[in-house]
Amino acid sequence: QRKNPHPEQRRPNPPSRPAMPSGGKPRRSASAIFADTASGHHLLTVHGYSRTKGVPTGERVKSRPFAIGGHRWRIDYYPNGVRAEVADYVSLSLMLDEDEDVAAAPAVKAQYDIRLAGEAEEEEEGAALASASVDDFTPGRGWVYTTFVSREELEGSEHLRNDSFTVRCDIVVVRDYRAEDAAVAFVSVPQCDLRRDLAGLLETEKGADVVFEVGGETVAAHRCVLAARSSVFAAELFGPMKGGNADAGVVVRVEDMKPEVFKALLRFAYSGLLPETRKEDQDVTCQHLLVAADRYGMRRLKLICEEKLCECINVGSAAIVLALAEQHRCEGLKKACFDFLAAPANLRAVVATEGFQHLSRSCPSLMAEVITMSLGIS
């Protein structure tokens, strides 16, 4: 049950229809109101659900902050309800996690929806918010799902696996409204399909003028497209690094990369889309793609992978991801790893993993920071 203090207001009657002009033809005019929005979603996984049941009613566990629409948010998890009347339920709240000193600024207007991950996943991002109310958020304040799900229902559902469950929070930040005159829609203009066309060009190999050999497989592509998307490709195919690579028919060999990773890199270069992967494989895929993006100077792809990896940090992956962040200069990802390790239980569990042994060998400079953290929280 979502609290909403904004009662429905009675709308005034519409103005009377204007009279038809003397010429016999009605005048055609139109205007429109546009909402300037930014949207995104965040996945929050609660590990060790059974242990959180010991948290008293009304007390919360805060998620790590995350950014959507230019603002910082967090989700508060109440394992035994936000108050005594709903003690048999899990309550969740979405909070604007920003400094109080900006409290004088206008409230952030946003639509939001929180659901158990896996429910209606086929919907496009934000589709569930089409009819949601636009709520005001101020620093340190938010909105609560008081009866998000009963513990009995959660514990009997497929959403609780290995004592963990995941919720998905969709947010649409409404940054501004503007009114504009609009032409009468005699012509309907479709969305730009450049992304689809370029992806089709890669798939059909039509007009391809360069061939890459990766792990025993060959991949055909278009030099101009790759050069426009990557300075490394530009230098390799047209610049001083090209050697014979720019000649038609020459095969460019790519070392130390799996074919599926290179194909995903090219797909992003053409379409701006990530490959479709199973949820359990997402973190490994993003690790490989981050390395490839760094190698070919594709900064946006690298940042997308870095952002997704920040959401996938757990005991089994923390050390490996931290080593990756150090080796590829990902400061945000490195901070997220240390934030995860700041919990004593997490640090103790990570130290016992094979990934931590790899970290100590590959990034000895990080060990001083980890040891300092260990001493500070022991």
Side-chain angles (χ1 to χ4, degrees), residues 194-205:
L194 177 63
R195 171 183 288 180
R196 185 193 65 190
D197 291 343
L198 287 177
L201 201 62
L202 176 65
E203 183 178 350
T204 62
E205 301 182 359

Side-chain angles (χ1 to χ4, degrees), residues 27-263:
R27 295 191 185 95
R28 289 189 176 97
S29 66
S31 62
I33 294 178
F34 295 90
D36 180 16
T37 64
S39 62
H41 74 269
H42 179 74
L43 297 175
L44 171 66
T45 299
V46 176
H47 297 284
Y49 161 75
S50 58
R51 292 193 296 272
T52 67
K53 290 164 68 174
V55 176
T57 297
E59 294 192 12
R60 61 191 174 181
V61 180
K62 299 179 182 179
S63 76
R64 292 201 305 269
F66 55 93
I68 290 178
H71 295 278
R72 192 175 68 209
W73 309 85
R74 76 169 191 267
I75 297 172
D76 288 352
Y77 164 53
Y78 297 82
N80 290 290
V82 70
R83 58 179 182 270
E85 295 87 337
V86 291
D88 293 332
Y89 288 82
V90 169
S91 301
L92 295 174
S93 65
L94 177 64
M95 308 293 292
L96 183 64
D97 190 51
E98 295 185 340
D99 296 335
E100 294 288 346
D101 58 5
V102 298
V108 176
K109 296 183 178 296
Q111 298 169 296
Y112 78 100
D113 180 67
I114 304 179
R115 66 182 67 194
L116 288 164
E119 294 181 350
E121 286 293 321
E122 69 278 1
E123 294 183 0
E124 293 184 6
E125 183 173 283
L129 297 176
S131 59
S133 62
V134 177
D135 298 324
D136 289 341
F137 290 82
T138 54
R141 298 180 181 273
W143 294 74
V144 182
Y145 283 86
T146 53
T147 55
F148 177 73
V149 63
S150 70
R151 287 200 304 278
E152 181 180 2
E153 179 184 350
L154 176 62
E155 291 167 11
S157 74
E158 62 180 12
H159 298 290
L160 186 64
R161 298 178 182 175
N162 299 321
D163 205 29
S164 300
F165 69 94
T166 301
V167 297
R168 170 174 171 149
C169 176
D170 286 271
I171 301 175
V172 177
V173 176
V174 181
R175 294 186 288 215
D176 193 13
Y177 293 99
R178 67 184 190 278
E180 295 182 0
D181 292 332
V184 177
F186 292 113
V187 178
S188 177
V189 180
Q191 294 291 323
C192 176
D193 50 12
L194 177 63
R195 171 183 288 180
R196 185 193 65 190
D197 291 343
L198 287 177
L201 201 62
L202 176 65
E203 183 178 350
T204 62
E205 301 182 359
K206 185 176 181 179
D209 56 2
V210 64
V211 175
F212 295 91
E213 183 181 303
V214 192
E217 297 185 25
T218 56
V219 184
H222 306 77
R223 291 179 296 162
C224 287
V225 175
L226 298 182
R229 298 286 281 153
S230 161
S231 59
V232 176
F233 275 128
E236 187 176 79
L237 300 174
F238 292 104
M241 295 169 56
K242 71 179 183 181
N245 291 346
D247 300 329
V250 171
V251 175
V252 181
R253 288 179 173 80
V254 179
E255 306 291 344
D256 302 321
M257 190 176 297
K258 295 181 179 180
E260 59 269 22
V261 175
F262 189 74
K263 290 176 183 178

Side-chain angles (χ1 to χ4, degrees), residues 338 347 356 364 366-378:
F338 274 112
L347 180 60
F356 188 79
L366 278 177
M367 297 310 296
E369 295 181 62
V370 174
I371 292 171
T372 300
M373 173 179 289
S374 175
L375 294 174
I377 64 178
S378 60

Side-chain angles (χ1 to χ4, degrees), residues 335-376:
K335 290 177 182 177
C337 288
F338 274 112
D339 185 66
F340 178 81
L341 294 174
N346 290 345
L347 180 60
R348 286 192 294 270
V350 170
V351 169
T353 64
E354 292 183 8
F356 188 79
Q357 306 307 316
H358 167 74
L359 175 67
S360 63
R361 292 191 300 269
S362 60
C363 302
S365 60
L366 278 177
M367 297 310 296
E369 295 181 62
V370 174
I371 292 171
T372 300
M373 173 179 289
S374 175
L375 294 174

Side-chain angles (χ1 to χ4, degrees), residues 271-343:
S271 67
L273 298 175
L274 293 178
E276 295 181 1
T277 59
R278 295 182 304 173
K279 187 174 180 179
E280 56 267 30
D281 297 333
Q282 181 176 316
D283 58 339
V284 175
T285 300
C286 285
Q287 289 175 31
H288 289 301
L289 264 181
L290 187 149
V291 174
D294 191 35
R295 175 173 169 177
Y296 284 96
M298 296 177 65
R299 184 172 180 272
R300 185 169 185 271
L301 175 57
K302 180 181 176 182
L303 289 173
I304 290 174
C305 293
E306 187 176 350
E307 180 185 45
K308 289 186 175 295
L309 285 172
C310 285
E311 300 175 356
C312 297
I313 298 170
N314 54 45
V315 169
S317 67
I320 295 172
V321 173
L322 180 56
L324 193 73
E326 177 73 3
Q327 293 164 352
H328 295 277
R329 304 172 301 281
C330 303
E331 290 303 317
L333 184 56
K334 182 178 175 181
K335 290 177 182 177
C337 288
F338 274 112
D339 185 66
F340 178 81
L341 294 174

